[in-house]
Amino acid sequence: MATEVLVPTLGESITEATLGEWLKQPGDPVKLDEPIASLETDKVSVEVPSPVAGVMGQHAVKVGDTVAVGAMIATVDAGGGAPAQAAAPQPAVTQAPAASPAAPAQSAPAATGDSPAALSPSVRRAVLEHGVDPSTVTGTGRDGRITKEDVAAAAQAKPPTPTPTAAPASQAPSTAPTSGGRKEERVKMTRLRQTIAKRLKEAQNTAAMLTTFNDVDMTAVMEARSKYKDLFEKKHGVRLGFMGFFVKAATMALKDIPSVNASIEGDEIVYHDYADISVAVSAPNGLVVPVIRDAQDLSVAGIEKTIGDFGRRAKDGTLKMDEMKGGTFTISNGGVFGSLMSTPIINPPQAAVLGLHRIEERPVVVNGQVVVRPMMYLALSYDHRLIDGREAVTFLVALKNAIEDPTRILIDL
């Protein structure tokens, strides 16, 4: 007996999603609640669990299709291990006509764990860009799935050869065939990427954005981290990073400069007596921005634990919708990717975003002497309709003082 697989409730005000990838192919055995598909919404990827144990039936929609909440996307033939063997030949018969209207790239390879058909669109693109054979990549994602980071790591590790791209090129009939070896590939934007693009453009069109800069000497924080990182990890079970210091320092500065933590609603300014800090976290399909609730009440250890949990679940695709909502201020750390300086775009309806950058040794003057110090540029982009230049600069100076003298964080100064 076949059981229909329906699109689950995706959260408040979200009525549809895009089918990102199939995690199970027709004929595959599935367990109860085992993920069989991944849906992409405006904010995060959601896995669809199997309602019963049995054998994966027919796919009712293709990758890239838009599906509504409650719509049927597939069937699962209920049963144990024995029905799985009996049912295995049947999907092979029914799969052929279903594959004919699909894109050529989906009909060529068999649906194995390392074939392009079993990879997400972003991972398939990374495979093509890096010329990596996915069968040689060890997946670190959920259930051993390959992520973009896995592909990039495999590309760095492999020795250069004259023909590394031959296999991936043959698996992508969608690329334009040309005699000179020049190729193009068209990949539909994910729903998440479309939403990011829309919101960022809306921010530019609505807010009077301006960015102000400062730099900070990281010596004191780096010394504290070096001295206490082992004891910190042993006691709290999480590594001591720099974000804990910056989030805590930001909550203190936001309390002193409340307009940076405010927002505009209509013709009113809404001031918040709490600091819900949005932190940009890298996920397989792009950056996501979960929120640290009431960060002003958390210790540095509590902040690091929360960020570490967000990072793990962003990679696994298990972040929840509610964890993306709200936020009164955003911190984005481009330094982990090597960025020296940037002008980040605010995340509406928030009024400001702090950009962190890479740490590099530079000559600075201290007490009349030129010395070499580990320095970082800070960038605060803000809505000039709400925040004046004086307030923006004062916020950055308060943050700089707290980082350069972490004792201020301990005594709330």
Side-chain angles (χ1 to χ4, degrees):
M1 174 178 161
T3 301
E4 294 184 345
V5 180
L6 306 180
V7 176
T9 300
L10 300 172
E12 183 181 357
S13 76
I14 299 179
T15 59
E16 62 182 20
T18 299
L19 185 69
E21 62 176 316
W22 284 109
L23 307 179
K24 292 290 184 179
Q25 300 299 323
D28 289 349
V30 296
K31 302 176 183 177
L32 175 64
D33 291 331
E34 183 178 10
I36 62 173
S38 175
L39 299 176
E40 294 176 352
T41 70
D42 293 347
K43 295 184 177 182
V44 70
S45 295
V46 178
E47 291 183 336
V48 181
S50 174
V52 295
V55 178
M56 188 69 197
Q58 194 65 32
H59 295 166
V61 296
K62 302 187 297 295
V63 172
D65 285 354
T66 298
V67 292
V69 172
M72 192 269 286
I73 60 173
T75 59
V76 175
D77 298 323
Q85 297 295 329
Q90 185 174 353
V93 176
T94 58
Q95 190 177 3
S100 57
Q106 296 176 339
S107 61
T112 60
D114 53 12
S115 72
L119 303 177
S120 67
S122 60
V123 175
R124 286 202 300 272
R125 182 168 186 173
V127 166
L128 292 171
E129 289 177 349
H130 293 287
V132 173
D133 181 358
S135 65
T136 65
V137 180
T138 301
T140 62
R142 187 178 182 87
D143 297 328
R145 295 203 302 274
I146 297 174
T147 66
K148 289 193 299 184
E149 290 77 7
D150 297 331
V151 175
Q156 290 182 345
K158 73 173 185 176
T161 60
T163 58
T165 59
S170 65
Q171 296 170 350
S174 59
T175 56
T178 60
S179 58
R182 290 158 54 90
K183 295 179 173 61
E184 293 181 353
E185 181 192 10
R186 293 181 180 269
V187 179
K188 185 178 180 181
M189 291 176 68
T190 64
R191 180 175 291 270
L192 176 61
R193 178 55 58 184
Q194 293 178 50
T195 301
I196 291 173
K198 179 180 178 181
R199 286 179 59 82
L200 293 180
K201 191 57 184 175
E202 285 178 352
Q204 287 185 319
N205 293 339
T206 302
M209 272 202 300
L210 183 65
T211 303
T212 187
F213 300 92
N214 210 323
D215 60 1
V216 58
D217 186 343
M218 296 292 292
T219 299
V221 166
M222 292 177 69
E223 289 178 349
R225 182 172 180 265
S226 177
K227 183 176 181 179
Y228 296 112
K229 63 180 181 179
D230 293 336
L231 290 174
F232 185 90
E233 185 171 4
K234 182 177 180 180
K235 179 175 181 179
H236 300 291
V238 65
R239 295 179 61 187
L240 177 60
F242 296 123
M243 281 294 288
F245 291 98
F246 276 102
V247 171
K248 194 62 181 177
T251 63
M252 296 169 55
L254 291 172
K255 184 169 61 175
D256 294 338
I257 317 294
S259 61
V260 181
N261 197 42
S263 59
I264 295 178
E265 291 186 9
D267 60 356
E268 296 180 333
I269 299 175
V270 180
Y271 292 97
H272 310 285
D273 66 351
Y274 54 88
D276 284 352
I277 307 297
S278 304
V279 289
V281 177
S282 181
N285 292 329
L287 288 178
V288 293
V289 192
V291 179
I292 306 174
R293 310 287 179 188
D294 293 316
Q296 76 282 353
D297 296 332
L298 296 177
S299 64
V300 171
I303 293 170
E304 291 287 2
K305 287 180 180 179
T306 303
I307 294 175
D309 177 61
F310 283 158
R312 286 189 296 272
R313 292 193 290 120
K315 187 174 183 179
D316 293 341
T318 57
L319 283 173
K320 299 177 181 178
M321 297 285 183
D322 292 341
E323 294 172 315
M324 309 286 181
K325 295 179 180 178
T328 60
F329 182 76
T330 294
I331 299 179
S332 177
N333 186 7
V336 297
F337 304 109
S339 172
L340 175 64
M341 189 178 293
S342 68
T343 55
I345 300 177
I346 62 176
N347 181 22
Q350 298 174 20
V353 53
L354 175 67
L356 308 182
H357 303 91
R358 76 170 185 250
I359 302 170
E360 65 175 8
E361 291 188 339
R362 293 199 297 270
V364 296
V365 178
V366 178
N367 298 325
Q369 300 293 322
V370 177
V371 296
V372 176
R373 293 291 177 86
M375 304 297 294
M376 175 196 288
Y377 286 117
L378 305 177
L380 182 74
S381 292
Y382 58 97
D383 189 345
H384 214 339
R385 298 177 302 166
L386 175 58
I387 304 169
D388 295 330
R390 181 187 62 180
E391 295 169 316
V393 173
T394 303
F395 172 87
L396 277 184
V397 170
L399 186 73
K400 171 185 173 74
N401 290 338
I403 295 298
E404 293 186 342
D405 183 7
T407 304
R408 289 173 174 264
I409 297 176
L410 296 178
I411 62 178
D412 193 14
L413 183 60

